[in-house]
Amino acid sequence: MSSRQQPRWTQTWLGGVRSAGVDLGYPGEQLGLPQQGSGAVAGFGRRIGALVVDWLICTWAITQGILGVNPAEQGWVPLAVLAAEYILLVGFMGMTFGMRLFGIRVAALGGGRPGLVAVLARTLLLCLAVPALIWDRDQRGLHDRAANTVVVRM
């Protein structure tokens, strides 16, 4: 192969392995999930939208409205409320209010809802934020990988 046919060395790490000609398949293919429709891996936009809705509910409706706490003075309260929401709702229903609104849910890799230990681990890591920002090729954050879960479309 001549040097004109080979990708430049910057294309292999700036553009990822796909730019070097490697086909990794679609997100969720290795997990046995469909490419589109119900059961497919939820995209970044839906996940962020659901998180924003949940954060607003926890900050304004619950922390300020029900508890009467000013989040600017006690910043840990909305985070604690968000963690409680995730533990209760994901643990019992497989989704939060925001996830329901955006048509996504948390599923165990073996199918069904995740167990309590998985929900606790996932929620703790989600509250740390950084693990949720590091994704793999199946669009699973470190919090999902640690809990053996995946966020899928309904």
Side-chain angles (χ1 to χ4, degrees), residues 1-115:
M1 192 177 241
S2 72
S3 63
R4 289 196 178 269
Q5 293 173 336
Q6 293 179 349
R8 292 190 338 208
W9 67 273
T10 54
Q11 289 174 328
T12 59
W13 63 272
L14 284 177
V17 293
R18 289 187 200 275
S19 65
V22 177
D23 182 21
L24 298 175
Y26 62 87
E29 185 174 15
Q30 286 187 329
L31 303 174
L33 301 175
Q35 186 173 3
Q36 296 177 348
S38 180
V41 173
F44 182 70
R46 287 178 187 249
R47 293 177 72 154
I48 285 294
L51 183 62
V52 167
V53 168
D54 289 331
W55 185 252
L56 292 174
I57 289 171
C58 292
T59 302
W60 288 345
I62 298 174
T63 301
Q64 287 182 324
I66 296 174
L67 300 177
V69 175
N70 183 358
E73 294 174 3
Q74 297 179 355
W76 62 272
V77 175
L79 186 61
V81 171
L82 182 74
E85 177 198 27
Y86 267 76
I87 290 169
L88 290 173
L89 296 180
V90 173
F92 290 108
M93 297 183 349
M95 68 187 88
T96 63
F97 298 120
M99 289 179 183
R100 177 71 182 145
L101 182 67
F102 281 86
I104 60 177
R105 67 182 176 87
V106 178
L109 284 183
R113 286 192 323 259

Side-chain angles (χ1 to χ4, degrees), residues 82-147:
L82 182 74
E85 177 198 27
Y86 267 76
I87 290 169
L88 290 173
L89 296 180
V90 173
F92 290 108
M93 297 183 349
M95 68 187 88
T96 63
F97 298 120
M99 289 179 183
R100 177 71 182 145
L101 182 67
F102 281 86
I104 60 177
R105 67 182 176 87
V106 178
L109 284 183
R113 286 192 323 259
L116 181 62
V117 174
V119 171
L120 289 172
R122 185 181 188 281
T123 302
L124 175 67
L125 291 172
L126 181 65
C127 288
L128 294 176
V130 172
L133 297 174
I134 301 172
W135 291 21
D136 65 7
R137 62 176 275 192
D138 291 316
Q139 296 182 359
R140 294 172 57 215
L142 290 180
H143 63 301
D144 282 323
R145 290 182 60 93

